[in-house]
Amino acid sequence: MALSKVSDAIVDLPVSVKAVGVAVLAGATLAVVWRGLGARQSNRKVYPRGTIVIHQMGRGPHVPSLTPFAIKLETYFRMEGIPYQTEHNMYRASKKTGKIPFMIYNDEELPDSEFILEFLRKEKNFDLHKGLTDEQIGIGRAFQRMAEENTYWCFVIDRWVLDETNKAWETFNVSAIIRYLAKRGIRKQLYAQGMGRHTPEEIRHIMSDDLKALSHYIGSKKFLFGDKACKFDCAIFGILAEIRWASFGGFGTSVIKEYPNLCDYCERMKATFWPDWEEMIQRDCTK
């Protein structure tokens, strides 16, 4: 399997992907990869104009994607009944950002989940915050930013670096040398971002405090603002789903279990918008 699955697993960490690529994809290996990529590009499916096509990595174990931002987009489209297609390609990231997910719409590439939704809001003329007050929009944005810009990095370092069991890496049959190189790249990125400067105990505490704040706000409500889910629920669910079901051997699963209402929240979101969840999971991630 080797490198392709590493790229699949950490494709939303572009610095580390580049580090692994420089170290591993040398000489003949690089040529083989590019020949494979060229074949895939020449056989790309052509969609009718107006089709929303979300490009992301292949389906992961336990969750429909190992990147929460793809889960966020798909959950929102399902919630609003917006037709979309998905393409799964471990070789193809956004030309603009080097990350996934990204959208192709009428031959135009749009990266970043938030900018994708903003573009579609204008293109399709729908309200991203339908039924929400200005106060709720402010609260929702604050919780989303906390989850996507802070909690996210806690689970990334937990899953890919701190987990001494290496269960995530073993799931993809990653060799020891590639694992070492990938971890080194991730550590560098997380040190630059800031989360990597903390001890494992501090990172666990940061994650727990984030989840505690969210748990206290949701309380006994079904969703963030009551009985009906909104765009912010989709973003928050993307992060929580990864922690709840795809922490592998990391501490994330035990942390979220400290907040039973968040576990129940995850189950409600899954049952409401992903009745086909089990069908969307790729269990054999070594192929």
Side-chain angles (χ1 to χ4, degrees), residues 28 39 71 73 79 81 111 114 117-118 130 142 228 252 263:
I71 295 178
L73 286 175
M79 182 177 74
E114 279 299 297
L117 292 178
E118 280 294 327
K130 181 173 54 181
K228 188 175 181 180
C263 295

Side-chain angles (χ1 to χ4, degrees), residues 54-68:
I54 300 299
H55 290 257
Q56 57 167 301
M57 65 182 70
R59 300 295 186 189
H62 315 303
V63 287
S65 177
L66 286 183
T67 169

Side-chain angles (χ1 to χ4, degrees), residues 21-180:
V22 169
V24 182
L25 289 181
T29 304
L30 180 60
V32 170
V33 170
W34 279 110
R35 282 199 297 271
L37 176 58
R40 286 171 172 80
Q41 289 176 334
S42 64
N43 293 324
R44 283 180 187 164
K45 185 176 180 180
V46 177
Y47 292 92
R49 289 188 65 79
T51 304
I52 297 170
V53 184
I54 300 299
H55 290 257
Q56 57 167 301
M57 65 182 70
R59 300 295 186 189
H62 315 303
V63 287
S65 177
L66 286 183
T67 169
F69 304 103
I71 295 178
K72 164 187 172 180
L73 286 175
E74 289 200 66
T75 303
Y76 183 79
F77 294 151
R78 287 161 173 254
M79 182 177 74
E80 295 296 335
I82 299 171
Y84 70 97
Q85 300 288 331
T86 58
E87 287 216 2
H88 304 274
N89 191 325
M90 65 187 69
Y91 297 101
R92 190 180 182 193
S94 168
K95 294 178 182 178
K96 298 179 180 179
T97 64
K99 299 172 72 174
I100 61 167
F102 66 94
M103 179 179 74
I104 297 294
Y105 183 81
N106 294 342
D107 298 323
E108 180 179 359
E109 176 189 302
L110 292 102
D112 190 276
S113 59
E114 279 299 297
F115 287 127
I116 288 171
L117 292 178
E118 280 294 327
F119 173 86
L120 292 175
R121 176 185 66 80
K122 299 174 183 177
E123 181 71 17
K124 302 291 187 180
N125 192 29
F126 59 79
D127 186 356
L128 288 172
H129 305 308
K130 181 173 54 181
L132 299 181
T133 66
D134 289 343
E135 180 182 18
Q136 288 173 327
I137 293 171
I139 293 170
R141 181 175 174 82
F143 273 117
Q144 177 179 335
R145 288 307 180 200
M146 178 191 76
E148 293 186 339
E149 304 295 341
N150 196 64
T151 319
Y152 168 75
W153 293 109
C154 292
F155 99 77
V156 167
I157 195 170
D158 174 42
R159 177 201 278 170
W160 298 115
V161 177
L162 299 180
D163 175 19
E164 295 181 355
T165 69
N166 290 307
K167 284 188 178 179
W169 299 104
E170 290 176 359
T171 298
F172 295 94
N173 286 349
V174 178
S175 68
I177 182 61
I178 296 176
R179 181 192 310 162
Y180 169 79

Side-chain angles (χ1 to χ4, degrees), residues 141-270:
R141 181 175 174 82
F143 273 117
Q144 177 179 335
R145 288 307 180 200
M146 178 191 76
E148 293 186 339
E149 304 295 341
N150 196 64
T151 319
Y152 168 75
W153 293 109
C154 292
F155 99 77
V156 167
I157 195 170
D158 174 42
R159 177 201 278 170
W160 298 115
V161 177
L162 299 180
D163 175 19
E164 295 181 355
T165 69
N166 290 307
K167 284 188 178 179
W169 299 104
E170 290 176 359
T171 298
F172 295 94
N173 286 349
V174 178
S175 68
I177 182 61
I178 296 176
R179 181 192 310 162
Y180 169 79
L181 293 169
K183 280 190 173 186
R184 186 172 66 176
I186 297 170
R187 283 185 184 275
K188 287 181 179 179
Q189 185 182 21
L190 286 165
Y191 187 85
Q193 186 272 338
M195 192 62 70
R197 299 169 189 255
H198 295 289
T199 66
E201 292 75 18
E202 289 171 339
I203 294 169
R204 192 186 197 283
H205 180 74
I206 292 168
M207 177 187 283
S208 183
D209 272 0
D210 283 358
L211 298 188
K212 181 188 296 183
L214 183 60
S215 173
H216 286 169
Y217 187 78
I218 290 179
S220 60
K221 299 192 297 291
K222 290 181 65 176
F223 302 109
L224 192 62
F225 296 121
D227 291 337
K228 188 175 181 180
C230 65
K231 166 187 174 286
F232 300 116
D233 286 290
C234 300
I236 290 168
F237 174 63
I239 302 294
L240 294 186
E242 301 289 346
I243 297 172
R244 176 73 177 88
W245 292 297
S247 288
F248 296 92
F251 56 65
T253 300
S254 64
V255 172
I256 197 171
K257 284 182 178 179
E258 296 173 6
Y259 307 101
N261 69 326
L262 294 187
C263 295
D264 293 342
Y265 171 86
C266 287
E267 294 292 346
R268 276 194 299 277
M269 287 292 292
K270 183 172 77 168

